[in-house]
Amino acid sequence: MTPPRTPQIPVVVLAGFLGSGKTTLLNHLLRNRAGTRIGVIVNDFGAIEIDAMTVSGQVGSTVSLGNGCLCCAVDASELDTFLETLTRPSARLDVIVIEASGLAEPQELVRMLLASDNPHILYGGLVEVVDAAEFDRTRQRHPEIDRHLAVADLVVLNKTDRVGEAERERLRAAVAELSGPAAVISAVHGRIDPELLFDPALRPDHEEKVRQLTFEDLLREEAPDGHEGHDDHLHASYESVDFTSDVPMDPRRFMEFLDSRPDGLYRIKGFADFGAGDRDNTYALHAVGRFLRFVPRPWARGEQRLTQLVMIGAGIDAAALSTGLAACRADGAARADEPGRADAVDVERAMWGVLRYVQEQAPEPEVFDTHGTADPREAAAEA
């Protein structure tokens, strides 16, 4: 049996103009991380204030936020250096969030991530935070916001409590038009469900039962009045759709489905069984916005061969997505348990669309190589 590989760490870029609520949203993630160890990279100069704590000093400072979470203040030119530090196995981080400067060009940070030689990171999406109450004035002062929205994977229309319902709908429509296929969700005080951005980490009980007071606890205690008690309803701003099939997926139909996935579908994650297309491997699927990649993994002995997917988005048609995926299932000619009936040449050609987005797994921790030999950008270059 092939030993399990170390998962790559998703890196989420959090962008938005000054005053949009990026830091408030970041603090919310830290407060509601549910044991997930978060690395925070602040792409800015000088004193960076994160709620109850200030990271003083210039570029290059690193401060522990407690319980494995770290905060680094860096210049964009040093981004790769800090990513190497945060992705070492000893850091044991689950996700990295880059809070971009309010005047940064977020697409440049995304470009740097996709061009990185670090095989331990995975692009986790560009989240653009928009101040609903100041949106029109922000566009006048910073017309480049249109360009930022156009490359976003997820847009958080923040501070919606400061505008009326009619204005909120107008703003939502305007933002959606500028952001194209990106999911758009409304928020107050930056409160979004962390599961939109990353999966909660499952940790052994002993790791969380006995510990010192952490930054997360401090934030929870100092949360503004009225901010607690609402987080249980954060899922109302998006929808999650599950799909499971014991029939292999037809690679050609499945890629057509992915290529035409609807606006508002932010994340797709899970595993795909392509049957006769590749009898030896299951394919881990990661899609965020328009970014897509597959990672093949050998089937374990006795493992049930299933396709299991979770789709997350806002304003999506759950029934249509389920129907679309069901239509991607292979007919009898491509069943993995009936190899004699498959047209091997046709199946191989159908897999070409999948293989364009294949990326090798990261190496094991014990052979950690800061320079790496595999190119983690094969899928990104084609996405």
Side-chain angles (χ1 to χ4, degrees):
M1 181 183 300
T2 302
R5 294 286 187 174
T6 302
Q8 291 171 295
I9 301 174
V11 181
V12 178
V13 177
L14 183 60
F17 283 91
L18 297 170
S20 61
K22 298 189 306 297
T23 302
T24 302
L25 191 155
L26 177 57
N27 285 324
H28 169 76
L29 296 178
L30 291 168
R31 185 183 298 120
N32 296 276
R33 61 185 183 82
T36 301
R37 293 188 172 98
I38 303 176
V40 178
I41 296 179
V42 182
N43 170 223
D44 212 337
F45 295 92
I48 290 65
E49 184 175 0
I50 298 185
D51 209 358
M53 184 198 73
T54 300
V55 181
S56 299
Q58 298 298 314
V59 173
S61 60
T62 301
V63 174
S64 173
L65 303 184
N67 229 21
C69 295
L70 299 172
C71 181
C72 308
V74 306
D75 184 355
S77 64
E78 296 181 331
L79 184 60
D80 252 343
T81 299
F82 275 81
L83 285 173
E84 285 187 11
T85 300
L86 294 179
T87 56
R88 287 173 181 163
S90 58
R92 302 174 66 202
L93 294 177
D94 302 300
V95 63
I96 296 171
V97 179
I98 301 177
E99 183 186 0
S101 162
L103 298 177
E105 286 290 338
Q107 60 266 42
E108 286 303 306
L109 291 175
V110 172
R111 181 191 60 78
M112 292 175 69
L113 288 176
L114 295 179
S116 173
D117 290 323
N118 190 329
H120 297 273
I121 65 171
L122 173 67
Y123 177 58
L126 168 60
V127 180
E128 183 78 15
V129 184
V130 174
D131 183 339
E134 297 291 329
F135 178 65
D136 292 330
R137 284 184 285 272
T138 300
R139 287 189 75 191
Q140 291 176 357
R141 293 192 302 270
H142 303 289
E144 60 268 30
I145 192 175
D146 291 9
R147 184 174 67 252
H148 296 182
L149 288 169
V151 297
D153 299 301
L154 173 69
V155 179
V156 178
L157 186 60
N158 196 27
K159 306 183 183 181
T160 53
D161 57 322
R162 296 178 55 189
V163 298
E165 183 176 353
E167 175 68 358
R168 185 162 56 246
E169 290 304 313
R170 181 191 72 82
L171 289 169
R172 185 180 180 85
V175 168
E177 182 178 358
L178 291 168
S179 59
V184 180
I185 62 171
S186 299
V188 176
H189 302 298
R191 295 198 304 269
I192 65 172
D193 193 326
E195 289 194 42
L196 269 169
L197 306 183
F198 52 81
D199 299 329
L202 300 177
R203 305 226 172 266
D205 291 342
H206 65 84
E207 291 194 20
E208 292 293 331
K209 282 183 177 177
V210 180
R211 56 184 174 82
Q212 295 179 335
L213 185 69
T214 67
F215 185 64
E216 177 188 13
D217 300 317
L218 179 63
L219 286 173
R220 190 182 306 279
E221 290 180 3
E222 297 193 0
D225 292 340
H227 285 202
E228 296 299 320
H230 298 281
D231 292 343
D232 291 341
H233 306 287
L234 293 175
H235 63 274
S237 61
Y238 72 94
E239 191 166 6
S240 178
V241 181
D242 298 335
F243 176 82
T244 300
S245 173
D246 59 357
V247 177
M249 307 299 281
D250 179 280
R252 182 177 288 111
R253 295 178 203 160
F254 189 53
M255 290 309 302
E256 289 174 354
F257 172 86
L258 293 176
D259 289 341
S260 61
R261 55 193 185 272
D263 295 354
L265 184 55
Y266 173 57
R267 290 180 70 195
I268 307 177
K269 56 185 180 178
F271 299 88
D273 172 19
F274 291 112
D278 186 346
R279 303 184 201 287
D280 297 326
N281 295 293
T282 178
Y283 283 73
L285 165 62
H286 169 78
V288 56
R290 297 291 104 182
F291 175 86
L292 171 65
R293 71 114 193 222
F294 290 98
V295 177
R297 171 185 65 80
W299 290 104
R301 182 177 301 173
E303 180 179 357
Q304 186 177 8
R305 302 198 172 205
L306 296 173
T307 292
Q308 296 177 298
L309 301 171
V310 177
M311 295 163 285
I312 302 173
I316 57 178
D317 186 335
L321 287 173
S322 297
T323 300
L325 279 173
C328 295
R329 290 180 294 196
D331 57 20
R335 291 293 300 266
D337 54 354
E338 300 180 68
R341 299 179 57 191
D343 185 330
V345 175
D346 184 64
V347 171
E348 181 180 350
R349 288 175 178 171
M351 282 296 293
W352 289 351
V354 174
L355 297 178
R356 290 176 59 228
Y357 296 95
V358 161
Q359 181 183 56
E360 294 301 323
Q361 263 284 22
E364 297 287 351
E366 58 267 27
V367 292
F368 180 78
D369 180 1
T370 56
H371 299 288
T373 55
D375 186 352
R377 304 177 305 280
E378 293 178 15
E382 297 287 347

